[in-house]
């Protein structure tokens, strides 16, 4: 899949132990991490993998965390991925992968045999099943929609989070692979899976929940593992995670899936039956909260209804591009012309995503995205930040990070729910004493 010429975010995370020492249990504390954003020249849009029966995404936002792994410790930089389960590291130096973990230098490294319970039972929710190699070691493969793939052996190792050692952490020690974006991949050592699978990093660490907060004002933000108990944080509104136990071809059972029930433009609810938001008998149509996808994508009938209503309510406010040949990022075809000499956008009708028990309001600058470098007759081109999933071949609703700005979003694994609360994320970082 070709790279799209758009500016994307990289969130660079530095681990900091929480000075308030909030206890989860006798041996666990809350970990607070500082997020910083950096623009990148290229990125990817989500697309369903053809090689698996689950919906997976190669994220166009990269969250990286620097940890130490092994005995003696080796420094590694890992991409955080809420859409993946298996964490992995590059374990063989190549021309494309300069930052690696060397298992031969670690006394605590232990490869996983095929006969182990980890290989036989805990790999069942991986998109590509584990296999057995010629050395009778558990072989793992990960594959992404941009044609990138990695292969290697499952192993256990000691990971250090803050000042805490986590021995026996299962990960993939990858020694072969292909990357379609080697320049960016060469800057990291691997990937940290954060979905709800049994082998995901958050599950293995034993934290009952994690949260993040991305600023829309500047480059700051917060990522937190554990309990978020702060007097300045208003009560969260929770929506339950949707769980389907039976395997379905288009339903990712370990994703963070919530139930979208309706959409409002200003105060007008789109006249759509609730059934259009419910997954069908194949699992197609789930709604995933994904920090890695930049924009929000809706299935065709819902997107068309939203697009038509938004065009109606912006008549006389914005000028349509009216170019049927232009579709931004392959899925966003509602675009407008804005004079170059206009410093700010006019007041726009807000869009509200209505979930069971919670609501996400998208307003102001988050509704429009300026297409980089595109000028039409003295006008900039801005596109509506909702896209059509059908144009991507994606059988799902995906709530992207652009619409999660200035929200405290909590993923509660124990109570199977996602919590939302409006907050100024740049100020949240300041209140937590993070250097932003």
């Amino acid at each position: 899949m070709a790279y799209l010429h758009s500016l994307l975010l990289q969130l660079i995370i530095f681990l900091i132990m929480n000075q308030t020492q909030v206890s989860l249990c006798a041996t666990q504390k809350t970990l607070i991490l500082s997020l910083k954003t950096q623009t990148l020249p290229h990125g990817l849009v989500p697309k369903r993998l053809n090689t698996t029966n689950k919906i997976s995404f190669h994220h166009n936002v990269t969250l990286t965390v620097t940890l130490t792994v092994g005995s003696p410790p080796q420094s590694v930089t890992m991409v955080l991925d809420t859409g993946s389960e298996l964490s992995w590291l590059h374990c063989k130096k190549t021309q494309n992968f300069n930052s690696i973990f060397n298992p031969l230098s670690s006394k605590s490294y232990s490869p996983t045999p095929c006969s182990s319970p980890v290989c036989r039972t805990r790999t069942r929710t991986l998109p590509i099943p584990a296999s057995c190699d010629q050395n009778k070691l558990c072989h793992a493969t990960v594959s992404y929609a941009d044609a990138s793939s990695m292969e290697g052996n499952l192993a256990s190792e000691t990971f250090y989070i803050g000042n805490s050692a986590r021995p026996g952490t299962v990960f993939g020690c990858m020694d072969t692979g292909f990357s379609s974006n080697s320049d960016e991949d060469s800057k990291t050592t691997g990937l940290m899976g954060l979905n709800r699978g049994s082998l995901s990093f958050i599950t293995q660490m034993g934290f009952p929940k994690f949260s993040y907060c991305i600023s829309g004002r500047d480059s700051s933000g917060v990522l937190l593992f554990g309990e978020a108990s702060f007097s300045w944080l208003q009560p969260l509104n929770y929506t339950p995670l949707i769980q389907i136990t039976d395997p379905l071809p288009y339903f990712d059972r370990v994703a963070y899936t919530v139930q979208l029930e309706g959409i409002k433009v200003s105060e007008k609810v789109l006249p759509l039956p609730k059934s259009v938001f419910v997954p069908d008998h194949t699992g197609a149509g789930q709604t995933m909260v994904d920090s890695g996808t930049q924009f929000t994508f809706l299935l065709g009938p819902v997107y068309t209804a939203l697009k038509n209503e938004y065009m109606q309510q912006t008549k006389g406010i914005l000028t349509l591009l009216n170019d049927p040949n232009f579709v931004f990022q392959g899925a966003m075809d509602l675009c407008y012309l804005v004079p170059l000499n206009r410093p700010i956008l006019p007041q726009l009708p807000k869009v509200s995503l209505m979930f069971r028990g919670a609501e996400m309001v998208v307003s102001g600058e988050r509704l429009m995205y300026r297409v980089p470098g595109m000028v039409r007759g003295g006008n900039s081109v801005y596109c509506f930040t909702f896209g059509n999933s059908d144009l991507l071949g994606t059988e799902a609703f995906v709530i992207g990070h652009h619409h999660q700005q200035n929200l405290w979003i909590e993923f509660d694994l124990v109570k199977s729910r996602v919590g939302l609360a409006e907050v100024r994320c740049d100020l949240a970082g300041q209140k937590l004493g993070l250097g932003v």
Side-chain angles (χ1 to χ4, degrees):
M1 183 169 60
Y3 291 111
L4 302 170
H5 300 289
S6 59
L7 292 177
L8 304 171
L9 297 175
Q10 181 174 22
L11 303 179
I12 302 175
I13 305 168
F14 303 94
L15 281 167
I16 301 175
M17 285 298 293
N18 180 20
Q19 299 302 312
T20 57
Q21 305 289 296
V22 179
S23 293
L24 294 173
C25 63
T27 59
Q28 251 179 351
K29 300 181 179 70
T30 295
L31 293 176
I32 300 177
L33 306 89
S34 174
L35 304 182
K36 296 198 181 293
T37 63
Q38 177 182 343
T39 58
L40 297 177
H42 300 291
L44 298 169
V45 294
K47 199 165 188 178
R48 188 172 62 84
L49 289 174
N50 294 324
T51 56
T52 175
N53 63 351
K54 303 195 189 307
I55 298 169
S56 300
F57 297 90
H58 183 92
H59 295 332
N60 59 16
V61 163
T62 303
L63 302 104
T64 65
V65 59
T66 299
L67 319 171
T68 54
V69 179
S71 306
Q74 301 175 43
S75 180
V76 301
T77 301
M78 303 179 74
V79 175
L80 271 70
D81 187 352
T82 59
S84 295
E85 177 173 354
L86 182 65
S87 301
W88 54 265
L89 296 170
H90 294 301
C91 291
K92 183 178 180 180
K93 191 167 186 177
T94 68
Q95 183 177 357
N96 292 335
F97 308 125
N98 299 317
S99 176
I100 69 163
F101 169 74
N102 186 355
L104 299 178
S105 299
S106 175
K107 298 177 182 178
S108 50
Y109 176 82
S110 177
T112 302
C114 298
S115 58
S116 73
V118 168
C119 190
R120 287 187 288 107
T121 62
R122 294 184 66 188
T123 60
R124 289 176 180 171
T125 54
L126 296 180
I128 300 176
S131 59
C132 197
D133 70 8
Q134 60 185 4
N135 297 318
K136 296 186 178 180
L137 296 178
C138 194
H139 186 79
T141 301
V142 292
S143 182
Y144 300 95
D146 66 337
S148 297
S149 62
M150 301 292 159
E151 294 188 42
N153 293 119
L154 283 190
S156 61
E157 184 56 284
T158 300
F159 281 66
Y160 296 87
I161 307 295
N163 296 327
S164 176
R166 306 296 176 115
T169 300
V170 178
F171 74 108
C173 194
M174 303 309 198
D175 53 18
T176 60
F178 166 78
S179 172
S180 64
N181 191 3
S182 57
D183 288 342
E184 289 306 322
D185 287 344
S186 66
K187 300 174 184 177
T188 61
T189 320
L191 179 143
M192 181 185 290
L194 282 173
N195 71 10
R196 298 189 298 125
S198 68
L199 286 179
S200 80
F201 195 82
I202 189 71
T203 302
Q204 291 192 70
M205 293 301 101
F207 287 104
K209 60 182 66 174
F210 68 97
S211 310
Y212 58 72
C213 191
I214 303 170
S215 173
R217 182 174 295 264
D218 57 21
S219 61
S220 65
V222 176
L223 176 66
L224 181 147
F225 289 113
E227 188 70 46
S229 180
F230 309 112
S231 60
W232 47 264
L233 182 62
Q234 63 180 317
L236 275 63
N237 292 316
Y238 288 96
T239 184
L241 291 172
I242 303 302
Q243 303 189 62
I244 296 178
T245 56
D246 296 330
L248 299 175
Y250 296 115
F251 192 89
D252 186 342
R253 289 183 292 165
V254 289
Y256 295 103
T257 300
V258 295
Q259 185 58 64
L260 182 63
E261 294 189 327
I263 298 177
K264 290 189 298 185
V265 180
S266 295
E267 295 305 317
K268 182 177 179 180
V269 179
L270 298 181
L272 294 167
K274 287 188 177 183
S275 59
V276 302
F277 300 104
V278 177
D280 64 17
H281 66 282
T282 69
Q286 71 184 118
T287 300
M288 296 182 287
V289 181
D290 193 338
S291 65
T293 299
Q294 185 175 14
F295 301 115
T296 293
F297 298 92
L298 309 172
L299 289 179
V302 177
Y303 171 75
T304 299
L306 174 59
K307 173 186 173 181
N308 291 339
E309 182 60 34
Y310 208 79
M311 284 194 297
Q312 181 65 32
Q313 292 199 25
T314 53
K315 280 184 177 179
I317 300 175
L318 291 174
T319 303
L320 281 170
L321 174 62
N322 278 330
D323 182 353
N325 297 318
F326 180 73
V327 181
F328 182 53
Q329 291 201 357
M332 301 159 71
D333 60 359
L334 178 55
C335 299
Y336 297 90
L337 297 173
V338 178
L340 288 169
N341 58 6
R342 186 167 198 165
I344 59 174
L345 291 170
Q347 186 171 350
L348 299 172
K350 65 184 180 181
V351 176
S352 301
L353 303 176
M354 299 181 292
F355 303 101
R356 186 178 301 166
E359 190 170 295
M360 182 181 291
V361 180
V362 181
S363 61
E365 294 181 351
R366 290 182 294 162
L367 289 162
M368 294 289 161
Y369 186 81
R370 182 176 179 176
V371 180
M374 189 171 180
V375 177
R376 294 283 181 93
N379 297 290
S380 300
V381 176
Y382 283 77
C383 291
F384 191 44
T385 52
F386 291 83
N388 188 341
S389 294
D390 292 5
L391 295 179
L392 296 174
T394 302
E395 303 290 338
F397 298 93
V398 185
I399 312 301
H401 76 84
H402 189 76
H403 294 159
Q404 299 176 39
Q405 293 175 0
N406 286 325
L407 287 173
W408 189 277
I409 302 184
E410 177 185 276
F411 298 85
D412 188 334
L413 282 73
V414 173
K415 296 184 178 180
S416 296
R417 60 185 185 173
V418 174
L420 308 173
E422 291 188 1
V423 66
R424 276 274 302 276
C425 295
D426 56 330
L427 298 182
Q430 295 175 18
K431 290 178 183 294
L432 293 171
L434 301 179
V436 298

